[in-house]
């Protein structure tokens, strides 16, 4: 028996003429993730990728491969000859590795890519199921809700597997353009970056702080969140922008109730300039409709007007509970709830405007030297590479 890891892809194989590009991107991302562990060989056959490696490394390889977007399952498979005798023998042998309890139920599920094989899929299911029952008296068949399934893929050889691990799904990273994530130190923005990366977008980030009004620990918290996110997105560039002078100018020259909206418009304009310089195609935020004052539909409409680029809000209709669940899943939640204030919370007014009018906001902005303030912030930014 030859043990392999099999990688099953999801939406990639629905992409028509772009299929090969998506597949190549996903494969390259897998190679990137497992290069430090190592493998002997890698080949594709009938929509699956097979990886030959030392079996003692399978668990580590699976952990790294399942971080790659575009994958629905990673399976530990045995490759054998495409004969009834070998398929039956291998199927019964494999159960030894997974049978830990008595009175378990199972079913057999086969697919024939090679239509010249002597039995149809239902016939093969029945034949192998009967052979397994003869060899294991404690097992019973349950085709609706089995304890485990014996999967058989009949191709140029036969591939048989029971254990499979669910992947993240989505599209391969890098297949859907370049996005710039507005990364705060909170729960939402890392989840937003993860969600857009899952749809195939390359993610880089911009972080706004207001040192010395906020601490260096708050800034480091955001960088730590970027590192956690980079486990899924790969290498990431973070543009760190100090908004202290901008906040001081807003506080001095504009109504305090408008601070949040005015500062968000500054963020979008600065992010747009960074995007133009470094060729990002969209901005990404962790906003969820109605969650805070700046996330009413009126506020977001006014904020949208300040950006040259589309603003993607993947969390827009999600409940906080659902966002937290994803945050816990990707490992960012514990870091995100550390009690360090970000620039938004430090300067947030007690009674912020929730239904701003664009004409009034633009009137307030006439009191500010917008171009000069933005250029100064960009000229003093720090560029941090997250590996």
């Amino acid at each position: 028996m030859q043990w392999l890891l099999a990688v099953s892809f999801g939406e990639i194989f629905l992409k028509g003429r772009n299929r090969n590009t998506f597949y190549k991107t996903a494969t390259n991302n897998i190679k990137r993730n497992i290069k430090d562990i190592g493998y002997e060989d890698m080949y594709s056959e009938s929509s699956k990728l097979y990886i030959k490696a030392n079996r003692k490394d399978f668990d580590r390889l699976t952990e790294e491969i399942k971080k790659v977007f575009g994958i629905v399952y990673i399976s530990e498979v045995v490759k054998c000859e495409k004969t009834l005798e070998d398929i039956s023998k291998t199927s019964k042998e494999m159960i030894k590795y997974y049978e830990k309890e008595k009175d378990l139920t199972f079913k057999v599920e086969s697919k024939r890519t090679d239509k010249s094989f002597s039995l149809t899929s239902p016939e093969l299911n029945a034949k192998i199921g009967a052979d397994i029952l003869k060899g294991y008296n404690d097992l019973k068949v349950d085709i609706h809700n089995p304890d485990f399934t014996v999967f058989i893929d009949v191709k140029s050889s036969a591939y048989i597997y029971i254990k499979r691990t669910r992947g993240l799904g989505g599209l391969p990273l890098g297949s859907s353009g370049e996005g710039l994530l507005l990364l705060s130190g909170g729960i939402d923005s890392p989840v937003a970056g993860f969600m857009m990366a899952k749809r195939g977008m390359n993610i880089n980030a911009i972080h706004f702080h207001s040192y010395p009004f906020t601490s260096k620990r708050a800034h480091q918290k955001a960088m730590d969140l970027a590192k956690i996110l980079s486990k899924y997105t790969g290498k990431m560039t973070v543009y760190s922008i100090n908004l202290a002078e901008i906040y001081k100018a807003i506080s001095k020259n504009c109504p305090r109730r408008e601070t949040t909206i005015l500062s968000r418009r500054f963020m979008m304009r600065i992010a747009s300039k960074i995007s133009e310089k470094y060729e990002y195609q969209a901005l990404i935020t962790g906003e969820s409709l109605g969650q805070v004052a700046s996330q009413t539909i009126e506020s977001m409409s006014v904020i949208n007007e300040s950006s040259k680029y589309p603003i993607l809000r993947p969390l827009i209709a999600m409940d906080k509970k659902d966002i937290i669940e994803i945050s816990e899943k990707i490992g960012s939640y514990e870091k995100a709830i550390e009690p360090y204030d970000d620039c938004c919370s430090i300067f947030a007014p007690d009674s912020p405007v929730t239904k701003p009018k664009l004409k009034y906001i633009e009137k307030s902005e006439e009191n500010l030297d917008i171009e000069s303030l933005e250029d100064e912030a960009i000229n003093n930014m720090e560029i941090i590479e997250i590996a």
Side-chain angles (χ1 to χ4, degrees):
M1 298 193 302
Q2 182 182 17
W3 285 88
L4 304 165
L5 281 180
V7 179
S8 303
F9 299 98
E11 293 182 57
I12 294 174
F13 289 96
L14 301 175
K15 296 300 178 182
R17 294 179 181 178
N18 293 323
R19 183 182 302 164
N20 289 339
T21 300
F22 280 41
Y23 175 80
K24 183 177 180 180
T25 300
T27 302
N28 287 339
N29 291 341
I30 291 170
K31 290 178 179 178
R32 179 199 69 206
N33 274 31
I34 66 174
K35 66 179 181 180
D36 292 337
I37 302 173
Y39 60 95
E40 296 177 37
D41 191 21
M42 186 180 293
Y43 66 93
S44 61
E45 184 177 358
S46 301
S47 79
K48 286 187 180 179
L49 179 72
Y50 294 96
I51 301 171
K52 182 181 179 182
N54 192 320
R55 195 173 176 222
K56 69 180 179 62
D57 293 328
F58 275 14
D59 286 345
R60 293 171 62 210
L61 288 166
T62 298
E63 281 301 307
E64 294 305 315
I65 293 170
K66 75 179 185 180
K67 295 175 185 175
V68 176
F69 295 110
I71 293 168
V72 290
Y73 290 111
I74 306 104
S75 311
E76 296 186 13
V77 309
V78 170
K79 180 181 179 181
C80 68
E81 292 298 318
K82 189 175 47 179
T83 65
L84 272 176
E85 181 182 0
D86 276 2
I87 293 172
S88 178
K89 178 182 176 181
T90 303
S91 298
K92 288 185 285 187
E93 283 289 319
M94 286 201 73
I95 291 174
K96 292 180 181 179
Y97 291 96
Y98 300 107
E99 185 189 29
K100 296 180 181 179
E101 304 174 30
K102 293 185 177 181
D103 299 321
L104 294 177
T105 59
F106 78 100
K107 74 172 182 177
V108 179
E109 185 175 310
S110 60
K111 294 181 181 178
R112 294 184 313 149
T113 301
D114 179 5
K115 300 301 182 184
S116 66
F117 187 71
S118 58
L119 298 182
T120 65
S121 293
E123 289 170 342
L124 183 59
N125 294 343
K127 169 62 178 170
I128 300 304
D131 289 349
I132 290 172
L133 286 173
K134 291 176 185 177
Y136 294 90
N137 294 328
D138 292 330
L139 292 178
K140 296 180 180 179
V141 172
D142 184 344
I143 62 172
H144 300 294
N145 189 32
D147 293 312
F148 68 90
T149 300
V150 179
F151 298 95
I152 303 171
D153 292 343
V154 181
K155 303 180 179 180
S156 59
S157 297
Y159 297 90
I160 301 167
Y161 54 103
I162 295 173
K163 180 182 178 182
R164 62 182 189 178
T165 302
R166 185 175 291 277
L168 292 171
L171 298 174
L173 194 67
S175 62
S176 299
E178 305 281 338
L180 184 64
L181 171 68
L182 276 70
L183 179 67
S184 70
I187 296 170
D188 300 336
S189 57
V191 174
F194 172 84
M195 296 292 285
M196 291 312 304
K198 185 176 180 180
R199 298 312 302 161
M201 181 166 276
N202 268 335
I203 304 296
N204 290 282
I206 184 168
H207 173 66
F208 296 99
H209 65 93
S210 51
Y211 181 80
F213 299 103
T214 51
S215 68
K216 289 186 177 180
R217 293 289 297 274
H219 182 270
Q220 185 57 48
K221 174 186 172 183
M223 297 306 105
D224 291 342
L225 287 170
K227 290 177 183 177
I228 293 169
L229 185 57
S230 72
K231 294 177 183 179
Y232 303 93
T233 65
K235 183 179 178 181
M236 180 189 301
T237 300
V238 180
Y239 306 92
S240 180
I241 304 281
N242 192 332
L243 291 183
E245 294 303 317
I246 290 174
Y247 274 113
K248 286 194 286 187
I250 292 172
S251 298
K252 181 179 179 180
N253 298 290
C254 304
R256 179 162 174 72
R257 292 189 68 219
E258 296 176 351
T259 300
T260 301
I261 299 299
L262 291 168
S263 62
R264 292 290 290 178
R265 281 170 60 84
F266 266 103
M267 291 178 190
M268 296 304 172
R269 284 192 294 264
I270 291 171
S272 293
K273 289 182 177 180
I274 298 296
S275 295
E276 186 172 14
K277 182 176 181 179
Y278 294 100
E279 299 184 340
Y280 303 123
Q281 297 162 298
L283 308 183
I284 304 163
T285 77
E287 293 166 306
S288 176
L289 187 62
Q291 187 166 267
V292 295
S294 65
Q295 295 175 21
T296 64
I297 191 64
E298 293 88 352
S299 295
M300 286 190 281
S301 296
V302 170
I303 291 167
N304 285 349
E305 291 293 327
S306 61
S307 174
K308 294 180 180 179
Y309 292 84
I311 302 173
L312 306 180
R313 298 179 170 97
L315 314 185
I316 192 68
M318 293 180 65
D319 293 336
K320 193 68 174 185
K321 176 179 176 292
D322 298 326
I323 297 170
I324 289 173
E325 286 179 359
I326 298 173
S327 180
E328 291 173 333
K329 176 182 175 181
I330 66 176
S332 62
Y333 180 72
E334 292 301 325
K335 176 60 63 173
I337 61 174
E338 289 181 359
Y340 302 114
D341 288 326
D342 60 23
C343 61
C344 296
S345 58
I346 286 288
F347 290 95
D350 295 331
S351 180
V353 61
T354 58
K355 296 183 178 181
K357 302 285 188 186
L358 181 60
K359 63 180 180 180
Y360 297 131
I361 295 299
E362 289 179 334
K363 184 69 175 177
S364 295
E365 287 177 338
E366 291 176 4
N367 299 322
L368 302 168
D369 188 348
I370 291 175
E371 198 71 25
S372 177
L373 287 167
E374 290 174 355
D375 288 345
E376 181 182 3
I378 292 172
N379 290 337
N380 292 319
M381 76 177 173
E382 182 182 6
I383 299 178
I384 302 163
E385 298 296 340
I386 304 293

